[in-house]
Amino acid sequence: MLILGIETSCDETGVALVEDGEVVRSNVIADQQTLHARYGGVVPEIASRAHVDLLHPAVEEACALGGVHLGDVDAIAVTIGPGLAGSLLVGVAAAKSYALALDRPLIGVNHLIGHVYANVLDHGALPLPAVVFVVSGGHTSLLVMDDLGVMRVLGQTIDDAAGEAYDKVARVLGLGYPGGPAIDMLAQEGGDPAAVRFPRALIDDGTYDFSLSGLKTAVLRHVRAQGGQEQVNVNDVAASFQEAVVDVQVSKVLRAASAEGVDTVLLAGGVAANSRLRARLNEEAERRNVRVLAPSPALCTDNGAMIGCAGYFQLKRGERTSLDVGADPNLQIVPGHGRRAPRRPKRRGGATSTRHE
Ligand code: KG4
Ligand code: ZN
């Protein structure tokens, strides 16, 4: 079964062809980073316009690379939320048009569930139950996946998402957008993770919640106290910040695995590409006989293949989405799970977004 996966929730136009939920025939990502970089964050209006321009050519390219005609596709899977409203709408409208024109089923996919399914593309069937740690630009959620389609939320961020914190600290350090990969790289290039002792919020509070806004402020204060970004050792600050983030993440993820009695952890989302998180979690999990699975770094960040994959499993469970479906910018990872982080104020006079929440 061949699924066309479409992802337009933020600033990546992702289109992929996925066969039987596991084989990626093609995975086209038209990224818009150069368009947004000069603003230091994603500009929602620019993102949705760019999706309009990039989406259909990306579908054609995905078909050409996959060696198939659009008519060979068996179903269309599309991200319906969460994300930026305008960006989501472009993908949803296009997917409905393809579904209608080709007379194929439409499958609406939760973007965050898509991130989790990216693991299937690299590792095959998900070993369940598992603790799932979703860390992206807009989300930090710690969950248990009991079965396919059955998830429970253990905790989440009470303020900034993990990727959001990386991006904001990168801005403080004068690095480009997105900041996560830049901080990761600087830390690897000789950064001393013990150079500055930044706070590890909520590390021993007994919950599975996270808080990163105090850490971000601590980095800002440190840089100011040193006389500005030119005066600090950027590698050391990047590595020390990253270590504070990873310390809390590793501690809570492994405590969750032990409390839930599960021996598998699934990482998901853009921040799951972080080399320090992967290395530290693997190392400490191994000591406790816990296995950690993460998508390959390229499949951690937004892409259409993960949506095609999740869509395949939803279709197999008999799910179909009505052509009346709308985009839901605030779609929850677990339906009815009401508690979520307060909306972040928009930056730069409201012009830019700190990604979806
Ligand atoms: O999942 P994603 O592509 O988009 C959302 O759904 O939000 O995640 C993007 C986020 C950005 O904040 C980016 O800075 C972060 O993932 N990121 C990283 C790394 N690669 C991407 N953060 C830390 N280390 C990385 N290597
Ligand atoms: Zn994402």
Side-chain angles (χ1 to χ4, degrees):
M1 180 162 295
L2 192 64
I3 313 282
L4 178 71
I6 297 178
E7 155 60 38
T8 64
S9 68
C10 195
D11 60 338
E12 251 102 28
T13 313
V15 178
L17 285 165
V18 180
E19 203 168 336
D20 296 334
E22 283 189 26
V23 181
V24 180
R25 292 279 289 266
S26 58
N27 188 21
V28 175
I29 299 166
D31 94 64
Q32 310 172 3
Q33 277 169 19
T34 43
L35 295 176
H36 301 284
R38 56 190 289 231
Y39 302 100
V42 178
V43 185
E45 292 78 6
I46 292 178
S48 42
R49 272 166 204 251
H51 285 308
V52 171
D53 292 341
L54 296 169
L55 187 53
H56 189 65
V59 170
E60 289 185 325
E61 194 184 342
C63 286
L65 290 172
V68 301
H69 296 289
L70 196 49
D72 299 333
V73 161
D74 295 300
I76 324 293
V78 63
T79 302
I80 55 169
L84 299 172
S87 291
L88 287 165
L89 275 173
V90 176
V92 171
K96 285 182 188 175
S97 314
Y98 289 124
L100 195 64
L102 299 170
D103 192 22
R104 297 290 189 273
L106 177 73
I107 314 152
V109 175
N110 182 314
H111 177 78
L112 302 167
I113 303 284
H115 274 304
V116 179
Y117 274 84
N119 280 291
V120 175
L121 299 171
D122 282 312
H123 309 295
L126 298 177
L128 299 176
V131 161
V132 177
F133 191 39
V134 181
V135 266
S136 70
H139 287 81
T140 298
S141 298
L142 190 53
L143 310 106
V144 180
M145 193 168 189
D146 293 302
D147 204 348
L148 290 184
V150 185
M151 290 175 103
R152 285 179 283 134
V153 177
L154 297 177
Q156 56 195 352
T157 181
I158 58 170
D159 42 52
D160 292 354
E164 187 181 355
Y166 272 96
D167 294 337
K168 285 177 177 172
V169 165
R171 207 183 315 222
V172 168
L173 294 176
L175 310 171
Y177 175 86
I183 288 181
D184 193 350
M185 192 172 292
L186 285 170
Q188 283 183 67
E189 289 167 354
D192 176 4
V196 191
R197 180 76 193 170
F198 288 124
R200 272 93 170 135
L202 310 186
I203 193 163
D204 289 322
D205 72 337
T207 74
Y208 296 113
D209 288 335
F210 298 82
S211 169
L212 287 167
S213 77
L215 172 58
K216 171 195 67 193
T217 308
V219 176
L220 182 63
R221 286 220 183 96
H222 173 81
V223 171
R224 282 200 187 136
Q226 301 297 306
Q229 53 182 238
E230 293 80 20
Q231 307 304 318
V232 294
N233 180 325
V234 181
N235 299 66
D236 283 353
V237 176
S240 300
F241 158 75
Q242 182 176 267
E243 203 66 8
V245 174
V246 170
D247 267 353
V248 181
Q249 292 177 335
V250 169
S251 153
K252 297 214 174 202
V253 168
L254 291 180
R255 189 159 53 75
S258 152
E260 292 293 324
V262 302
D263 61 4
T264 305
V265 170
L266 302 174
L267 289 180
V271 182
N274 185 264
S275 63
R276 189 69 177 159
L277 170 63
R278 294 166 82 104
R280 288 270 318 277
L281 191 57
N282 267 311
E283 197 182 299
E284 297 192 25
E286 207 178 296
R287 270 191 247 132
R288 301 171 202 212
N289 289 322
V290 171
R291 160 180 51 170
V292 179
L293 297 181
S296 53
L299 288 176
C300 284
T301 43
D302 293 350
N303 64 83
M306 67 188 199
I307 303 303
C309 174
Y312 168 80
F313 286 95
Q314 289 178 223
L315 190 67
K316 238 176 72 168
R317 287 202 295 272
E319 282 182 36
R320 303 281 187 284
T321 303
S322 155
L323 287 178
D324 293 336
V325 72
D328 182 353
N330 296 317
L331 191 64
Q332 302 290 315
I333 190 163
V334 173
H337 187 83
R339 200 160 59 95
R340 77 188 178 85
R343 274 213 159 275
R344 311 303 311 154
K346 288 187 175 166
R347 302 193 59 84
R348 314 245 161 141
T352 63
S353 157
T354 48
R355 304 178 74 92
H356 48 254
E357 297 181 289

